[in-house]
Amino acid sequence: NDPYLLLEKNMDRIKGRMRIQMFCGTQDDHLPTIREFHDVLTKAGIDHTYMEIESLAHNRKQMITQYAPIWYDYHVESLRLAAAADGKK
């Protein structure tokens, strides 16, 4: 379940085909790791959405509540794009 190994192993399946969205609070203990993975995705040329939420600690419920419309729209668009891609096969 190592995201770095999974990225390396699945690069061809991910690049240009998978939408990735990462949010993390600036007070979250995981922020250094999330920033590092964001950098790895950027260097690998993997398109993704990355956002740091000022002053938020590790509080998933607050993050989801605060950004629910963004996440909802993102996932609806992801499903729309996936359906369009299936139609091209």
Side-chain angles (χ1 to χ4, degrees):
N1 291 332
D2 182 315
Y4 298 95
L5 293 176
L6 289 170
L7 174 64
E8 185 178 327
K9 179 181 174 183
N10 297 295
M11 186 75 69
D12 292 339
R13 288 193 232 159
I14 295 170
K15 202 170 194 174
R17 294 186 174 101
M18 177 182 254
R19 299 183 82 208
I20 300 172
Q21 184 177 54
M22 300 174 10
F23 287 20
C24 191
T26 60
Q27 301 301 312
D28 191 322
D29 292 340
H30 298 285
L31 184 59
T33 304
I34 299 299
R35 282 179 175 163
E36 181 182 309
F37 194 65
H38 162 62
D39 189 48
V40 168
L41 291 172
T42 300
K43 287 178 180 172
I46 302 293
D47 187 29
H48 63 286
T49 301
Y50 174 77
M51 187 165 82
E52 292 183 10
I53 303 166
E54 192 64 39
S55 302
L56 183 69
H58 191 74
N59 186 331
R60 185 179 358 188
K61 185 176 180 179
Q62 180 182 352
M63 187 184 311
I64 290 170
T65 300
Q66 188 171 346
Y67 292 96
I70 292 171
W71 283 349
Y72 178 79
D73 289 346
Y74 187 87
H75 291 295
V76 167
E77 180 67 6
S78 295
L79 291 170
R80 188 191 67 73
L81 292 171
D86 280 347
K88 292 179 184 177
K89 290 182 180 179

